[in-house]
Amino acid sequence: MPLDNCPKCQHRLGPPLKSSGRQVCMKCGWSDKPRQTAAHPQKSAPPPRDLTPDEIHKILSQAAAVSLNNMKPKSKQDPTLKDE
């Protein structure tokens, strides 16, 4: 049975979503069911690895080059430097 108000913030809830049947609060994001789809089941992310000082230096140098390029007028920007 659908709820009328969010149990977390008391905001009025809309009807359940047609695609999943979940009820989601548009104000705080509360949901009555965890978000999970058959096509994209939840996976645990691999643990992050530590970067070497050389890798950090390379990343920072690339970021600085892109940032400096973005400060130039559009007509003088280098198209090979893209902010990704």
Side-chain angles (χ1 to χ4, degrees), residues 14-82:
L17 300 174
K18 291 179 183 176
S19 61
S20 65
R22 296 183 313 131
Q23 250 188 317
V24 179
C25 176
M26 295 300 146
K27 183 174 181 184
C28 72
W30 172 88
S31 175
D32 62 342
K33 300 175 188 170
R35 184 177 186 177
Q36 191 174 46
T37 60
H40 299 96
Q42 288 180 343
K43 300 177 192 172
S44 60
R49 67 175 183 86
D50 289 336
L51 297 174
T52 67
D54 287 339
E55 290 172 318
I56 293 171
H57 182 70
K58 182 180 177 186
I59 291 169
L60 289 174
S61 294
Q62 288 172 340
V66 168
S67 180
L68 290 171
N69 188 53
N70 285 339
M71 290 184 210
K72 294 179 184 176
K74 199 77 160 162
S75 62
K76 294 183 180 179
Q77 286 185 3
D78 183 354
T80 61
L81 292 175
K82 292 186 179 176

